[in-house]
Short mmCIF file of all heavy atoms in Angstrom, two decimals:
data_model
loop_
_atom_site.label_atom_id
_atom_site.label_comp_id
_atom_site.label_asym_id
_atom_site.label_seq_id
_atom_site.Cartn_x
_atom_site.Cartn_y
_atom_site.Cartn_z
N VAL A 86 126.34 171.81 63.37
CA VAL A 86 127.26 171.46 62.28
C VAL A 86 128.69 171.37 62.78
O VAL A 86 129.41 170.40 62.51
CB VAL A 86 127.14 172.48 61.13
CG1 VAL A 86 128.27 172.27 60.12
CG2 VAL A 86 125.79 172.35 60.44
N ASN A 87 129.15 172.39 63.51
CA ASN A 87 130.54 172.44 63.95
C ASN A 87 130.84 171.40 65.03
O ASN A 87 131.91 170.80 65.03
CB ASN A 87 130.89 173.84 64.46
CG ASN A 87 131.02 174.84 63.33
OD1 ASN A 87 132.07 174.98 62.74
ND2 ASN A 87 129.94 175.53 63.01
N ALA A 88 129.88 171.21 65.94
CA ALA A 88 130.09 170.24 67.01
C ALA A 88 129.91 168.81 66.52
O ALA A 88 130.56 167.88 67.02
CB ALA A 88 129.13 170.52 68.17
N GLY A 89 129.02 168.65 65.56
CA GLY A 89 128.70 167.28 65.12
C GLY A 89 129.50 166.77 63.95
O GLY A 89 129.44 165.58 63.64
N TYR A 90 130.24 167.64 63.27
CA TYR A 90 130.98 167.23 62.06
C TYR A 90 131.88 166.02 62.33
O TYR A 90 131.78 164.99 61.65
CB TYR A 90 131.81 168.41 61.55
CG TYR A 90 132.74 168.08 60.41
CD1 TYR A 90 132.30 168.09 59.09
CD2 TYR A 90 134.07 167.75 60.66
CE1 TYR A 90 133.15 167.79 58.04
CE2 TYR A 90 134.94 167.44 59.61
CZ TYR A 90 134.48 167.45 58.31
OH TYR A 90 135.33 167.14 57.28
N PHE A 91 132.76 166.14 63.31
CA PHE A 91 133.71 165.06 63.59
C PHE A 91 132.99 163.83 64.15
O PHE A 91 133.29 162.70 63.76
CB PHE A 91 134.77 165.55 64.58
CG PHE A 91 135.67 166.61 64.03
CD1 PHE A 91 135.41 167.95 64.27
CD2 PHE A 91 136.77 166.27 63.26
CE1 PHE A 91 136.23 168.93 63.75
CE2 PHE A 91 137.61 167.25 62.74
CZ PHE A 91 137.33 168.59 62.98
N PHE A 92 132.05 164.08 65.05
CA PHE A 92 131.35 162.96 65.69
C PHE A 92 130.56 162.12 64.68
O PHE A 92 130.73 160.90 64.61
CB PHE A 92 130.42 163.49 66.78
CG PHE A 92 129.36 162.52 67.18
CD1 PHE A 92 129.68 161.30 67.75
CD2 PHE A 92 128.03 162.80 66.97
CE1 PHE A 92 128.71 160.38 68.11
CE2 PHE A 92 127.04 161.91 67.32
CZ PHE A 92 127.38 160.69 67.90
N PHE A 93 129.72 162.78 63.88
CA PHE A 93 128.86 162.02 62.97
C PHE A 93 129.66 161.33 61.87
O PHE A 93 129.38 160.18 61.51
CB PHE A 93 127.80 162.94 62.37
CG PHE A 93 126.66 163.25 63.29
CD1 PHE A 93 126.54 164.51 63.87
CD2 PHE A 93 125.73 162.28 63.61
CE1 PHE A 93 125.51 164.79 64.73
CE2 PHE A 93 124.69 162.54 64.48
CZ PHE A 93 124.57 163.81 65.04
N LEU A 94 130.67 162.00 61.33
CA LEU A 94 131.46 161.37 60.27
C LEU A 94 132.24 160.18 60.81
O LEU A 94 132.28 159.11 60.19
CB LEU A 94 132.41 162.39 59.64
CG LEU A 94 131.78 163.36 58.64
CD1 LEU A 94 132.83 164.27 58.05
CD2 LEU A 94 131.05 162.63 57.53
N GLU A 95 132.88 160.34 61.96
CA GLU A 95 133.64 159.22 62.52
C GLU A 95 132.73 158.07 62.91
O GLU A 95 133.09 156.89 62.75
CB GLU A 95 134.46 159.70 63.73
CG GLU A 95 135.65 160.56 63.35
CD GLU A 95 136.47 161.00 64.53
OE1 GLU A 95 136.12 160.63 65.68
OE2 GLU A 95 137.47 161.70 64.33
N ALA A 96 131.56 158.39 63.42
CA ALA A 96 130.63 157.34 63.87
C ALA A 96 130.03 156.57 62.71
O ALA A 96 129.88 155.34 62.77
CB ALA A 96 129.52 157.94 64.73
N PHE A 97 129.70 157.26 61.62
CA PHE A 97 128.98 156.62 60.51
C PHE A 97 129.84 156.40 59.27
O PHE A 97 129.37 155.81 58.29
CB PHE A 97 127.75 157.44 60.15
CG PHE A 97 126.74 157.54 61.26
CD1 PHE A 97 126.61 158.72 61.99
CD2 PHE A 97 125.95 156.45 61.60
CE1 PHE A 97 125.69 158.81 63.03
CE2 PHE A 97 125.03 156.54 62.64
CZ PHE A 97 124.90 157.72 63.35
N TRP A 98 131.09 156.87 59.30
CA TRP A 98 132.00 156.69 58.16
C TRP A 98 133.20 155.85 58.58
O TRP A 98 134.29 155.98 58.07
CB TRP A 98 132.43 158.04 57.61
CG TRP A 98 132.64 158.05 56.13
CD1 TRP A 98 132.34 157.08 55.24
CD2 TRP A 98 133.23 159.12 55.38
NE1 TRP A 98 132.69 157.46 53.97
CE2 TRP A 98 133.23 158.72 54.03
CE3 TRP A 98 133.74 160.37 55.71
CZ2 TRP A 98 133.74 159.52 53.02
CZ3 TRP A 98 134.22 161.17 54.71
CH2 TRP A 98 134.23 160.75 53.37
N THR A 99 132.98 154.97 59.54
CA THR A 99 133.97 154.02 60.04
C THR A 99 135.27 154.69 60.43
O THR A 99 136.36 154.34 59.97
CB THR A 99 134.25 152.91 58.99
OG1 THR A 99 133.07 152.60 58.30
CG2 THR A 99 134.78 151.66 59.68
N GLY A 100 135.16 155.70 61.30
CA GLY A 100 136.35 156.29 61.89
C GLY A 100 137.06 157.31 61.04
O GLY A 100 138.23 157.62 61.32
N GLN A 101 136.40 157.84 60.02
CA GLN A 101 137.06 158.82 59.16
C GLN A 101 136.23 160.07 58.99
O GLN A 101 135.00 160.03 59.00
CB GLN A 101 137.35 158.21 57.78
CG GLN A 101 138.45 157.18 57.77
CD GLN A 101 138.81 156.74 56.37
OE1 GLN A 101 137.94 156.36 55.60
NE2 GLN A 101 140.09 156.79 56.03
N THR A 102 136.93 161.19 58.84
CA THR A 102 136.35 162.43 58.36
C THR A 102 136.90 162.64 56.95
O THR A 102 137.69 161.83 56.46
CB THR A 102 136.76 163.61 59.25
OG1 THR A 102 138.20 163.71 59.25
CG2 THR A 102 136.27 163.41 60.69
N VAL A 103 136.53 163.72 56.31
CA VAL A 103 137.06 164.00 54.97
C VAL A 103 138.58 164.14 55.03
O VAL A 103 139.32 163.58 54.22
CB VAL A 103 136.42 165.27 54.38
CG1 VAL A 103 137.07 165.62 53.04
CG2 VAL A 103 134.93 165.09 54.21
N GLY A 104 139.05 164.88 56.04
CA GLY A 104 140.49 165.06 56.19
C GLY A 104 141.22 163.76 56.45
O GLY A 104 142.28 163.50 55.88
N LYS A 105 140.67 162.93 57.32
CA LYS A 105 141.31 161.65 57.63
C LYS A 105 141.33 160.74 56.40
O LYS A 105 142.31 160.01 56.18
CB LYS A 105 140.57 160.96 58.78
CG LYS A 105 140.82 161.58 60.15
CD LYS A 105 140.14 160.78 61.24
CE LYS A 105 140.46 161.33 62.62
NZ LYS A 105 139.85 162.65 62.86
N ARG A 106 140.26 160.76 55.63
CA ARG A 106 140.24 159.91 54.44
C ARG A 106 141.29 160.37 53.43
O ARG A 106 141.98 159.55 52.82
CB ARG A 106 138.84 159.92 53.82
CG ARG A 106 138.75 159.15 52.52
CD ARG A 106 137.34 158.67 52.22
NE ARG A 106 136.91 157.62 53.11
CZ ARG A 106 135.88 156.80 52.87
NH1 ARG A 106 135.19 156.91 51.76
NH2 ARG A 106 135.54 155.88 53.74
N LEU A 107 141.42 161.68 53.24
CA LEU A 107 142.43 162.19 52.30
C LEU A 107 143.85 161.90 52.78
O LEU A 107 144.75 161.66 51.97
CB LEU A 107 142.24 163.69 52.10
CG LEU A 107 140.97 164.12 51.34
CD1 LEU A 107 140.84 165.63 51.32
CD2 LEU A 107 140.98 163.56 49.92
N MET A 108 144.04 161.89 54.10
CA MET A 108 145.38 161.62 54.65
C MET A 108 145.60 160.13 54.91
O MET A 108 146.63 159.73 55.43
CB MET A 108 145.56 162.40 55.96
CG MET A 108 145.56 163.91 55.79
SD MET A 108 146.73 164.49 54.55
CE MET A 108 148.27 163.86 55.20
N LYS A 109 144.60 159.30 54.57
CA LYS A 109 144.70 157.86 54.71
C LYS A 109 144.97 157.44 56.17
O LYS A 109 145.84 156.61 56.45
CB LYS A 109 145.78 157.28 53.79
CG LYS A 109 145.46 157.44 52.30
CD LYS A 109 146.56 156.82 51.44
CE LYS A 109 146.15 156.75 49.98
NZ LYS A 109 145.86 158.06 49.39
N ILE A 110 144.19 158.00 57.07
CA ILE A 110 144.24 157.58 58.46
C ILE A 110 142.82 157.29 58.93
O ILE A 110 141.85 157.73 58.30
CB ILE A 110 144.90 158.63 59.37
CG1 ILE A 110 144.13 159.96 59.33
CG2 ILE A 110 146.36 158.85 58.98
CD1 ILE A 110 144.71 161.03 60.25
N ARG A 111 142.69 156.54 60.01
CA ARG A 111 141.36 156.11 60.47
C ARG A 111 141.39 155.88 61.97
O ARG A 111 142.40 155.45 62.53
CB ARG A 111 140.99 154.80 59.76
CG ARG A 111 139.61 154.27 60.10
CD ARG A 111 139.37 152.91 59.44
NE ARG A 111 139.47 152.95 58.00
CZ ARG A 111 138.46 153.29 57.19
NH1 ARG A 111 137.29 153.61 57.69
NH2 ARG A 111 138.64 153.28 55.88
N VAL A 112 140.27 156.16 62.63
CA VAL A 112 140.12 155.89 64.05
C VAL A 112 139.53 154.49 64.23
O VAL A 112 138.52 154.16 63.60
CB VAL A 112 139.20 156.92 64.74
CG1 VAL A 112 139.17 156.67 66.25
CG2 VAL A 112 139.66 158.34 64.45
N ILE A 113 140.18 153.68 65.05
CA ILE A 113 139.64 152.36 65.40
C ILE A 113 139.68 152.21 66.91
O ILE A 113 140.28 153.03 67.61
CB ILE A 113 140.44 151.21 64.73
CG1 ILE A 113 141.89 151.23 65.21
CG2 ILE A 113 140.35 151.29 63.22
CD1 ILE A 113 142.71 150.03 64.71
N ARG A 114 139.07 151.16 67.42
CA ARG A 114 139.11 150.91 68.85
C ARG A 114 140.40 150.18 69.22
O ARG A 114 141.09 149.63 68.37
CB ARG A 114 137.90 150.08 69.28
CG ARG A 114 136.61 150.88 69.32
CD ARG A 114 135.48 150.06 69.89
NE ARG A 114 135.05 149.02 68.96
CZ ARG A 114 134.27 148.00 69.30
NH1 ARG A 114 133.89 147.85 70.56
NH2 ARG A 114 133.90 147.11 68.41
N ASP A 115 140.70 150.16 70.50
CA ASP A 115 141.93 149.53 70.98
C ASP A 115 141.99 148.04 70.68
O ASP A 115 143.08 147.46 70.65
CB ASP A 115 142.08 149.73 72.50
CG ASP A 115 142.57 151.12 72.83
OD1 ASP A 115 143.03 151.83 71.91
OD2 ASP A 115 142.50 151.52 74.02
N ASN A 116 140.84 147.41 70.46
CA ASN A 116 140.84 145.98 70.15
C ASN A 116 140.91 145.71 68.65
O ASN A 116 140.75 144.59 68.20
CB ASN A 116 139.61 145.29 70.75
CG ASN A 116 138.31 145.87 70.22
OD1 ASN A 116 138.29 146.70 69.30
ND2 ASN A 116 137.19 145.45 70.81
N GLY A 117 141.14 146.77 67.86
CA GLY A 117 141.28 146.60 66.42
C GLY A 117 139.96 146.65 65.66
O GLY A 117 139.97 146.63 64.43
N GLN A 118 138.85 146.74 66.36
CA GLN A 118 137.55 146.75 65.70
C GLN A 118 137.13 148.18 65.37
O GLN A 118 137.67 149.14 65.91
CB GLN A 118 136.51 146.07 66.59
CG GLN A 118 136.78 144.60 66.82
CD GLN A 118 135.72 143.94 67.68
OE1 GLN A 118 134.86 144.60 68.23
NE2 GLN A 118 135.80 142.62 67.79
N PRO A 119 136.15 148.35 64.47
CA PRO A 119 135.71 149.69 64.08
C PRO A 119 135.20 150.50 65.27
O PRO A 119 134.68 149.94 66.24
CB PRO A 119 134.60 149.41 63.07
CG PRO A 119 134.88 148.05 62.54
CD PRO A 119 135.47 147.29 63.68
#
Side-chain angles (χ1 to χ4, degrees):
V86 169
N87 287 274
Y90 173 85
F91 293 96
F92 161 62
F93 282 107
L94 282 182
E95 287 181 0
F97 298 105
W98 214 9
T99 324
Q101 289 187 308
T102 59
V103 175
K105 287 184 176 69
R106 175 156 290 198
L107 291 175
M108 295 307 301
K109 295 181 170 60
I110 60 178
R111 183 185 301 275
V112 185
I113 61 174
R114 286 187 288 166
D115 282 347
N116 59 8
Q118 295 181 352

